[in-house]
Amino acid sequence: MEQFRNIGVIGRMGSVKVVETLRQLKQYLVANNYQVILEEDTASILPGHGQQVASKRLLGEICDLVIVVGGDGSLLGAARELAKSKIPLLGVNRGRLGFLTDISPSDLEERLSKVLKGEYIVEHRFLLDGHVERNGKPLGFGTALNDVVLHPGKSTRMISFDLFIDGHFVYAQRSDGLIVATPTGSTAYSLSAGGPIMHPKLDAIVLVPMFPHTLSSRPIVVDGRSEIKLVIGETNEAYPQVSFDGQMNIACAPGDIIRISKKPFKIRLIHPTDHNFYATCRDKLGWASNTTAS
C-alpha cells in the first residue's frame, strides 16, 4: 500500500459543518506529523490555519492523497480537476447521500487512522469526455465522472435529436433530453430518471431518455468503449444545453454535434476496508436491511 505523507485537503464552501470538520481534520493530520496542503479556496474559510496553500492543479502534483470534505458534488469537482494526476481521493461526507464520500465525520479520526496506516481498498472509476462541435469546428469540451446530460436548459420545449453509437444510427428521439452516465453516475441523476443501478466495476455506459415522447424508449446499456454521438435536430426551436456532472454547461444550437467517449485515464477512490457497494445502496436508498433467510 502507498504511504501518504503529503495530504491535500479540499472542502465545500458555504457550510459551517464543513468548516468544523475541516478544522478537526487539519488538527488530526498536523498532530500526527502529516504535511497538510490546503486547496486555496478551502484555505480562505480557515483563517489562521498556518498550512501550505495550493491550487487544485498543484495539489495533484505535490500530494500523495487528497481528502475531500463535502458531498458527492464536491468529490465530483475534485475528480475532474485531479483525474489526470492519478492522485487517490478520499471522501468525508458532509452532504446528503454520500455514495462517493463514505467516511462519516462522527468517526473521522478512527477510520482515517486506519486508511493512513494502509488499511484501505482502491476503486478505479472512469470518466467521460464530451466535445461539442458546430459547423465542423470545436465549440466546447467537458469532463464528467457521473454523467453528460443533454437537456432543455431554461426552456420547457422538447428536444429533437439523433443518437449514433459507434457510427451506427440508433434512433431519432423527441424528449426532454438524454442522460449518458457512467456506473458511478448510475446512482445519481440517471437513477431518478429510471435508469439501472450499475456496479462500479462494470465497463459500461448507460443512456437514459428523459421523458421521451414514445413509451418504447428505454435505457440502453452499452460497452464502456463506445463512441456516442448526438446530433441536435435542425428544426429545433429550443436551444438545449449539455451539462457535465451538473456543474458545467455548454449552450448548443440546432445542428450541433455532441461526441461522448471514455476518458483515457481513471480516478482512484480510497475506501475503508469495510466498504461494500451493496451495503451503501441499502443505506442510501433505504433497501430492506433484514434478510428473509431463517
Side-chain angles (χ1 to χ4, degrees):
M1 290 294 182
E2 294 178 65
Q3 294 297 309
F4 305 129
R5 297 309 310 173
N6 299 315
I7 300 178
V9 176
I10 299 174
R12 179 165 64 87
M13 307 298 288
S15 169
V16 173
K17 291 183 178 180
V18 167
V19 172
E20 293 172 355
T21 302
L22 285 169
R23 287 180 178 146
Q24 178 188 3
L25 174 62
K26 188 210 76 170
Q27 291 170 0
Y28 173 82
L29 293 174
V30 170
N32 286 274
N33 299 313
Y34 291 97
Q35 179 67 41
V36 178
I37 304 98
L38 299 176
E39 183 268 334
E40 52 194 2
D41 289 334
T42 305
S44 70
I45 58 176
L46 293 173
H49 55 77
Q51 305 302 311
Q52 184 178 346
V53 177
S55 65
K56 284 193 181 76
R57 180 191 60 80
L58 189 56
L59 288 182
E61 297 178 7
I62 63 178
C63 295
D64 308 312
L65 170 71
V66 168
I67 300 176
V68 180
V69 180
D72 285 349
S74 302
L75 197 140
L76 290 172
R80 291 195 306 274
E81 291 276 353
L82 298 169
K84 199 168 185 177
S85 69
K86 300 180 181 179
I87 189 170
L89 301 176
L90 175 68
V92 177
N93 186 27
R94 270 302 189 182
R96 291 186 292 273
L97 280 179
F99 271 96
L100 300 174
T101 50
D102 54 2
I103 290 184
S104 170
S106 61
D107 54 5
L108 170 63
E109 294 183 12
E110 176 187 352
R111 293 170 74 79
L112 181 57
S113 172
K114 292 181 179 179
V115 169
L116 295 177
K117 289 176 182 176
E119 298 176 26
Y120 61 84
I121 58 177
V122 182
E123 277 191 335
H124 294 84
R125 306 282 186 100
F126 72 82
L127 302 92
L128 296 174
D129 281 339
H131 299 261
V132 181
E133 303 171 7
R134 180 171 297 167
N135 299 322
K137 296 180 180 180
L139 177 67
F141 165 79
T143 295
L145 176 58
N146 266 356
D147 46 47
V148 180
V149 181
L150 173 66
H151 61 95
K154 296 180 180 179
S155 171
T156 56
R157 294 177 181 271
M158 299 186 90
I159 306 168
S160 297
F161 61 91
D162 293 340
L163 169 66
F164 297 81
I165 299 175
D166 292 329
H168 300 286
F169 175 68
V170 180
Y171 55 57
Q173 185 175 104
R174 278 178 54 80
S175 67
D176 280 3
L178 186 73
I179 302 169
V180 181
T182 65
T184 301
S186 71
T187 53
Y189 193 19
S190 170
L191 179 63
S192 67
I197 294 174
M198 299 195 295
H199 194 280
K201 290 183 180 180
L202 285 175
D203 185 8
I205 298 170
V206 63
L207 293 81
V208 184
M210 299 164 60
F211 299 103
H213 198 259
T214 57
L215 295 177
S216 59
S217 294
R218 290 291 184 266
I220 301 174
V221 179
V222 300
D223 189 279
R225 296 165 293 181
S226 298
E227 301 284 341
I228 297 161
K229 182 174 77 170
L230 304 176
V231 181
I232 310 297
E234 293 278 3
T235 59
N236 271 310
E237 296 180 11
Y239 281 66
Q241 296 184 357
V242 177
S243 69
F244 299 84
D245 288 342
Q247 298 179 350
M248 173 191 170
N249 289 282
I250 299 173
C252 298
D256 285 357
I257 296 175
I258 303 137
R259 301 183 189 275
I260 302 167
S261 59
K262 184 196 294 186
K263 205 170 187 66
F265 36 79
K266 300 180 179 181
I267 66 161
R268 291 190 292 159
L269 290 183
I270 298 290
H271 297 288
T273 53
D274 61 352
H275 172 76
N276 179 283
F277 175 70
Y278 304 110
T280 301
C281 288
R282 283 198 305 274
D283 179 40
K284 307 301 180 182
L285 300 178
W287 291 354
S289 57
N290 295 322
T291 68
T292 57
S294 58

